[in-house]
């Protein structure tokens, strides 16, 4: 019962915060319209081939620029310590935070698909394909939860967390082909992008919806990158215990 109470509290908290609503809903939808207007005229079937990228906008903006700031607010405001003093298990509350984060991602990405359907005549995939896609999307969002946790815990306040999270998000957009299509990147930047773990994750998500890869996923780099984030999160958690 406590877990359900914490989960409902987190959902209410997010929907009452204009900044979190903006980054979880308005910002990804704005990016979809902006990039579709920029590249949709020259790249055929831009929305169909990049819908996985577009939905990943929601994951990164909801985690890096929203969740990290929330964690920083709880950490700097001693809210986590207050939970412990009141006998509330921190792990239970953090699990409720993660679940509310997953719920927000689902609503946000579903909104993106529906808007793409009505604005760009995007054909929504079958339920079976969507179930596979969302299973992978939640799995692939785990590294960004760890990254949000690291940013939130190590930042002295919410302003610092936001100042760190925003550049990280936009760099991720750039190197993964979410901001500029991979085909238009050249030289060393293209080489970095092809070896960036997020590029592989998005490529696999794209394959799930369209049956083709943007790049061949390098699962070794993905595993090393995620393992590094887990180790970093564990170190940060231990030092701030």
């Amino acid at each position: 019962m406590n877990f359900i109470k914490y989960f409902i509290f987190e959902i209410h908290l997010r929907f009452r915060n204009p900044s979190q609503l903006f980054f979880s809903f308005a910002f990804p939808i704005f990016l979809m319209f902006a990039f579709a207007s920029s590249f949709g005229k020259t790249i055929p079937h831009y929305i169909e081939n990049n819908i996985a990228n577009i939905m990943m906008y929601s994951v990164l903006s909801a985690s890096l620029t929203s969740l990290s700031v929330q964690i920083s607010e709880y950490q700097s405001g001693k809210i986590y310590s207050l939970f412990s003093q009141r006998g509330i298990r921190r792990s239970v509350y953090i699990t409720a935070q993660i679940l509310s984060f997953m719920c927000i991602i689902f609503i946000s990405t579903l909104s993106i698909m529906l808007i793409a359907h009505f604005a760009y005549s995007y054909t929504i995939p079958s339920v079976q394909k969507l179930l596979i896609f969302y299973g992978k999307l939640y799995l692939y969002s785990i590294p960004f939860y760890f990254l949000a946790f690291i940013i939130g815990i190590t930042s002295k306040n919410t302003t610092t967390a936001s100042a760190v999270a925003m550049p990280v998000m936009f760099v991720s957009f750039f190197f993964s082909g979410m901001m500029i299509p991979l085909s238009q990147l050249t030289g060393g930047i293209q080489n970095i992008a092809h070896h960036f773990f997020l590029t592989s994750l998005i490529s696999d998500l794209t394959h799930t919806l369209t049956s083709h890869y943007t790049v061949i996923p390098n699962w070794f780099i993905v595993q090393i990158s995620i393992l590094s984030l887990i180790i970093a999160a564990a170190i940060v958690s231990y030092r701030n215990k």
Side-chain angles (χ1 to χ4, degrees), residues 3 7 89-102 145:
F3 177 83
F7 169 72
R89 293 180 60 184
R90 186 182 301 185
S91 59
V92 174
Y93 193 89
I94 291 177
T95 303
Q97 273 189 292
I98 296 172
L99 188 60
S100 68
F101 167 67
M102 294 172 65
Y145 172 77

Side-chain angles (χ1 to χ4, degrees), residues 3 7 10-11 14 67 70-71 80 91-105 138 141-142 145-146 149:
F3 177 83
F7 169 72
E10 280 292 318
I11 292 292
R14 287 178 179 276
L67 186 60
Q70 184 188 22
I71 291 174
Y80 286 131
S91 59
V92 174
Y93 193 89
I94 291 177
T95 303
Q97 273 189 292
I98 296 172
L99 188 60
S100 68
F101 167 67
M102 294 172 65
C103 183
I104 292 296
I105 288 176
Y138 284 134
S141 68
I142 292 175
Y145 172 77
F146 283 122
F149 174 81

Side-chain angles (χ1 to χ4, degrees), residues 77-206:
K78 307 298 182 182
I79 297 177
Y80 286 131
S81 300
L82 182 62
F83 288 160
S84 299
Q85 293 173 9
R86 294 187 176 184
I88 300 173
R89 293 180 60 184
R90 186 182 301 185
S91 59
V92 174
Y93 193 89
I94 291 177
T95 303
Q97 273 189 292
I98 296 172
L99 188 60
S100 68
F101 167 67
M102 294 172 65
C103 183
I104 292 296
I105 288 176
F106 175 75
I107 298 173
S108 177
T109 52
L110 188 61
S111 300
I112 289 172
M113 278 195 293
L114 290 174
I115 292 174
H117 173 72
F118 290 108
Y120 299 105
S121 300
Y122 172 69
T123 302
I124 297 177
S126 64
V127 174
Q128 182 180 6
K129 186 173 289 187
L130 283 177
L131 287 174
I132 297 173
F133 173 81
Y134 272 103
K136 290 183 176 181
L137 184 67
Y138 284 134
L139 181 64
Y140 297 163
S141 68
I142 292 175
F144 304 102
Y145 172 77
F146 283 122
L147 192 54
F149 174 81
I150 293 170
I151 294 173
I153 292 296
T154 55
S155 299
K156 294 182 179 180
N157 50 53
T158 56
T159 303
T160 304
S162 180
V164 173
M166 288 288 285
V168 171
M169 181 183 68
F170 280 109
V171 167
S172 299
F173 283 168
F174 181 77
F175 282 120
S176 63
M178 296 167 69
M179 184 171 289
I180 299 175
L182 287 172
S183 58
Q184 298 188 20
L185 298 177
T186 58
I189 294 178
Q190 186 182 61
N191 187 49
I192 293 173
H194 282 185
H195 291 84
F196 185 34
F197 81 100
L198 179 56
T199 310
S200 294
L201 297 181
I202 293 178
S203 180
D204 187 59
L205 290 173
T206 300

Side-chain angles (χ1 to χ4, degrees), residues 7-62:
F7 169 72
I8 294 175
F9 172 77
E10 280 292 318
I11 292 292
H12 285 171
L13 187 66
R14 287 178 179 276
F15 279 99
R16 290 171 58 186
N17 189 317
S19 176
Q20 295 199 34
L21 282 177
F22 172 78
F23 282 111
S24 299
F25 292 94
F27 187 62
I29 292 171
F30 164 75
L31 290 178
M32 176 175 68
F33 282 113
F35 293 141
S37 299
S38 300
F39 303 111
K41 296 178 182 179
T42 57
I43 301 177
H45 309 291
Y46 177 82
I47 293 295
E48 292 84 349
N49 293 332
N50 291 275
I51 193 68
N53 285 21
I54 295 168
M55 286 193 277
M56 188 59 81
Y57 294 153
S58 177
V59 173
L60 266 68
S61 59

